[in-house]
Amino acid sequence: MPATSDPPTQPRDFVRREDDILERIAAIVSGRTAPRGELHVGDDAAVLAGFDGDVIVSTDMAVGGVHLDLDRFPLDDLGYKAVAAAISDLAAMGASPRGAVVSVGSPRGTDLERLHRGMAEAAAVLACPIVGGDLSAASDVLVAVTVLGEAPRGSAVRRDGARAGDELFVTGPLGRAAAGLRRRRGGVALEDELVTAHRRPVARLAEGRAARTGGAHAMMDLSDGLGIDLHRMCDASKVGFELAEVPVAGGATVDEALGGGEDYELLIATGDGAHLLEAFLAAGLARPIRIGRVVADEAVRTWRGEPLGPTGWQHPI
Amino acid sequence: MPATSDPPTQPRDFVRREDDILERIAAIVSGRTAPRGELHVGDDAAVLAGFDGDVIVSTDMAVGGVHLDLDRFPLDDLGYKAVAAAISDLAAMGASPRGAVVSVGSPRGTDLERLHRGMAEAAAVLACPIVGGDLSAASDVLVAVTVLGEAPRGSAVRRDGARAGDELFVTGPLGRAAAGLRRRRGGVALEDELVTAHRRPVARLAEGRAARTGGAHAMMDLSDGLGIDLHRMCDASKVGFELAEVPVAGGATVDEALGGGEDYELLIATGDGAHLLEAFLAAGLARPIRIGRVVADEAVRTWRGEPLGPTGWQHPI
């Protein structure tokens, strides 16, 4: 969107400035040539061709200082996290990514190329090309990422389909991202495995597709932590839960596993746990971890038999 | 994306706060029930079904104080402008809108419901349902809008297709938005016709489709002003132009028409002006205005025979 300054005219070099920066950034994010019949960065809009089934879309905003501590993490990590978190929403539907568009706001002097390199790295790792974007002046460094994915018609796995008697699974041990943040605050290097889990999260795309083909009734990604997201799934599905196990990752605490968030593992409810395991094994994926079961009474929300209220991370809005 | 605060636990009321606000906002933006087979606000991602041909996608960010003067315009105008500007990018491809997702950043105390009402109004006027969103704390009030549209396979009109000999058209007189901003700064009421053109722009969707079916070679929307956008089209197409007429809207100056921007009229290059006019008339649209022609020599960029360098609005990035 054009900025409202004093019209009407600026010297030639000035009005060309945005175009120049856009060209440099386009070169960073355009990791591959657009396939035949598609059009990526550079026009009013991008063109994506031949969607297989439904179009799945999600948007996610990451703000420096809110979603990532820019005194402790470099700018490319903000870009990486923003793209990976958005793509995780596609994983949570059982969808495959097709493309992302990124709107970036930043104060003067921000290293926009570094920020976009982080986005391009996540896009490459997760095979989701960045096909368009916008830049604006803003007081914070921030990124709004919208991802488009595809899933066979009518097959996307919603969060409101959990039924009484379903088994509950997660795709991996929890608390790694929160433990990594704690370690980074204690001075641990960026390369540390848990710190890396915080700044370079993995979107569980293959696991999401395996859960979809493996008959999952409901699914969501654990962006805010099992302690709040399990309530959200059960609220949407109008059911309760009996949580038996909270799988704690090595180096993390139980509190971090339950309330930490940002692990981006998937939470899955299914009526046929054996079928789910089969689909994961057939895809060469690690076994999902059984954590409990769904019950009909919406008021029943327990962990090892004790009531468990929602616990999760703060969302300043 | 969840915010990085101190894990792990918050009292129940606190962690539910975002969900409550999201519910109120979802009620504002969900102007209609999702069609059968679709899923809009409320899950990890939205599901849009049955795209006709290619998926067209564009993202656009609007920041309070940068793109709209919030001392002179209410917050709902920022939401309206952001959504209309993004949808205009679909018009510029000849596409039809299918849905929008909106990421909003704001400082504490922002009237988020008013901001979203403005977005919902634009979405209703332009028949583009808001199907998802995200909220975050930020220092500015800002909106990143991503729009999804559809166009028959391979038919989207790009900006790089202008050819020597093409006639150039615009879909209406120019300078209304810049004149409206000038008038508002002079104390004119929000309801004034030109002020309204600034705060409530129209995306030329029907005109874009008519240009596509009417054989346009190249098209873009005049978001930054004819004086810069005509250069952009000719840069992309590797051609020059001879601009004959700049159609100035009533109440606007020539400078505002040439350099003002934000009119969101469409700029069209076509090899068959008669066919284009026919398509517009058949669709019941106003005649596009012929403004000049495309020439082979990329260095020729003239207005009434005098050289015309790029002139347009400032983009602080």
Side-chain angles (χ1 to χ4, degrees), chain A:
Chain A
M1 194 164 164
T4 293
S5 67
D6 288 301
T9 58
Q10 309 288 345
R12 179 180 175 119
D13 286 355
F14 191 84
V15 292
R16 288 280 164 115
R17 197 166 63 89
E18 188 190 38
D19 290 352
D20 291 346
I21 294 177
L22 283 175
E23 265 176 39
R24 286 207 305 279
I25 285 172
I28 290 169
V29 301
S30 298
R32 61 171 205 188
T33 309
R36 193 180 165 79
E38 299 206 347
L39 171 65
H40 292 177
V41 177
D43 213 301
D44 292 279
V47 178
L48 298 176
F51 267 64
D52 173 21
D54 291 335
V55 176
I56 317 295
V57 58
S58 183
T59 190
D60 220 3
M61 183 176 282
V63 181
V66 176
H67 298 97
L68 190 70
D69 180 350
L70 293 180
D71 294 331
R72 291 195 170 86
F73 296 93
L75 212 50
D76 45 317
D77 284 344
L78 182 69
Y80 196 105
K81 271 192 86 165
V83 169
I87 294 175
S88 176
D89 286 325
L90 297 180
M93 308 297 285
S96 298
R98 283 296 307 274
V101 291
V102 294
S103 270
V104 169
S106 61
R108 187 177 295 273
T110 299
D111 186 347
L112 286 171
E113 299 188 29
R114 182 159 192 172
L115 178 64
H116 282 82
R117 272 200 301 276
M119 291 196 271
E121 279 184 67
V125 166
L126 297 166
C128 181
I130 295 173
V131 301
D134 193 23
L135 295 177
S136 175
S139 304
D140 309 298
V141 182
L142 56 90
V143 179
V145 180
T146 302
V147 287
L148 278 70
E150 63 193 359
R153 169 86 48 110
S155 74
V157 184
R158 304 161 60 132
R159 65 171 61 175
D160 62 2
R163 304 173 207 166
D166 279 359
E167 294 178 274
L168 291 166
F169 292 86
V170 292
T171 50
L174 305 175
R176 288 160 48 85
L181 176 58
R182 168 172 50 79
R183 286 171 67 79
R184 181 66 184 158
R185 285 174 171 163
V188 173
L190 289 172
E191 293 69 28
D192 176 78
E193 192 192 324
L194 293 175
V195 174
T196 300
H198 180 76
R199 67 195 191 90
R200 301 268 160 154
V202 175
R204 297 293 181 195
L205 287 164
E207 289 81 355
R209 285 191 293 262
R212 169 169 58 75
T213 59
H217 288 163
M219 180 158 60
M220 62 187 296
D221 68 335
L222 294 175
S223 51
D224 292 345
L226 181 64
I228 181 74
D229 287 328
L230 182 52
H231 282 277
R232 288 185 175 135
M233 176 182 280
C234 289
D235 288 349
S237 302
K238 300 189 188 344
V239 293
F241 64 77
E242 291 172 356
L243 182 60
E245 290 300 325
V246 176
V248 182
T253 67
V254 173
D255 276 355
E256 285 165 346
L258 195 61
E262 300 198 289
D263 284 319
Y264 299 106
E265 299 291 350
L266 300 176
L267 169 65
I268 301 162
T270 178
D272 185 347
H275 185 198
L276 184 78
L277 291 179
E278 249 168 53
F280 271 66
L281 294 179
L285 300 168
R287 290 171 74 90
I289 303 164
R290 191 182 177 285
I291 60 167
R293 67 191 193 96
V294 176
V295 299
D297 185 347
E298 210 178 330
V300 172
R301 309 272 174 120
T302 62
W303 179 27
R304 295 177 180 164
E306 299 295 317
L308 179 72
T311 55
W313 283 24
Q314 176 184 357
H315 288 73
I317 56 175

Side-chain angles (χ1 to χ4, degrees), chain A residues 1-12 14-19 21-22 37-39 42-51 53-63 65-69 78 81-82 85 88-90 92-93 101-108 112 131-140 142-146 148 153-154 156-160 178 181 185 198 219-221 223-224 228 231-232 235 255-256 259-262 264 301 309-317, chain B residues 1-12 14-19 21-22 37-39 42-51 53-63 65-69 78 81-82 85 88-90 92-93 101-108 112 131-140 142-146 148 153-154 156-160 178 181 185 198 219-221 223-224 228 231-232 235 255-256 259-262 264 301 308-317:
Chain A
M1 194 164 164
T4 293
S5 67
D6 288 301
T9 58
Q10 309 288 345
R12 179 180 175 119
F14 191 84
V15 292
R16 288 280 164 115
R17 197 166 63 89
E18 188 190 38
D19 290 352
I21 294 177
L22 283 175
E38 299 206 347
L39 171 65
D43 213 301
D44 292 279
V47 178
L48 298 176
F51 267 64
D54 291 335
V55 176
I56 317 295
V57 58
S58 183
T59 190
D60 220 3
M61 183 176 282
V63 181
V66 176
H67 298 97
L68 190 70
D69 180 350
L78 182 69
K81 271 192 86 165
S88 176
D89 286 325
L90 297 180
M93 308 297 285
V101 291
V102 294
S103 270
V104 169
S106 61
R108 187 177 295 273
L112 286 171
V131 301
D134 193 23
L135 295 177
S136 175
S139 304
D140 309 298
L142 56 90
V143 179
V145 180
T146 302
L148 278 70
R153 169 86 48 110
V157 184
R158 304 161 60 132
R159 65 171 61 175
D160 62 2
L181 176 58
R185 285 174 171 163
H198 180 76
M219 180 158 60
M220 62 187 296
D221 68 335
S223 51
D224 292 345
I228 181 74
H231 282 277
R232 288 185 175 135
D235 288 349
D255 276 355
E256 285 165 346
E262 300 198 289
Y264 299 106
R301 309 272 174 120
T311 55
W313 283 24
Q314 176 184 357
H315 288 73
I317 56 175
Chain B
M1 194 164 165
T4 294
S5 67
D6 289 301
T9 58
Q10 309 287 347
R12 179 179 176 119
F14 190 85
V15 293
R16 287 280 164 118
R17 196 166 64 90
E18 188 191 37
D19 290 352
I21 295 177
L22 283 175
E38 297 204 350
L39 171 66
D43 214 299
D44 292 280
V47 178
L48 297 175
F51 268 63
D54 291 334
V55 177
I56 317 296
V57 58
S58 183
T59 190
D60 221 2
M61 183 176 281
V63 181
V66 177
H67 298 96
L68 191 70
D69 180 350
L78 182 68
K81 270 191 86 165
S88 176
D89 285 324
L90 297 180
M93 309 297 286
V101 291
V102 293
S103 272
V104 169
S106 61
R108 187 176 296 273
L112 286 172
V131 301
D134 192 22
L135 295 176
S136 175
S139 304
D140 309 298
L142 57 90
V143 179
V145 179
T146 301
L148 278 70
R153 168 89 45 112
V157 184
R158 305 162 60 133
R159 65 172 62 175
D160 62 1
L181 176 59
R185 285 175 171 161
H198 180 76
M219 182 158 59
M220 61 187 297
D221 68 336
S223 51
D224 292 344
I228 181 74
H231 281 278
R232 287 185 176 134
D235 289 347
D255 275 355
E256 285 165 346
E262 300 198 289
Y264 299 107
R301 309 273 174 118
L308 180 71
T311 56
W313 284 24
Q314 175 183 0
H315 289 74
I317 55 175

Side-chain angles (χ1 to χ4, degrees), chain B residues 188-254:
Chain B
V188 173
L190 289 173
E191 293 68 29
D192 176 78
E193 192 193 325
L194 293 175
V195 174
T196 300
H198 180 76
R199 66 195 193 89
R200 302 266 160 155
V202 174
R204 298 291 180 196
L205 287 164
E207 289 81 355
R209 284 190 294 262
R212 170 169 58 75
T213 58
H217 289 163
M219 182 158 59
M220 61 187 297
D221 68 336
L222 294 175
S223 51
D224 292 344
L226 181 64
I228 181 74
D229 287 328
L230 181 53
H231 281 278
R232 287 185 176 134
M233 177 183 279
C234 289
D235 289 347
S237 302
K238 300 189 186 349
V239 293
F241 63 78
E242 291 172 356
L243 182 61
E245 290 300 325
V246 175
V248 181
T253 68
V254 173

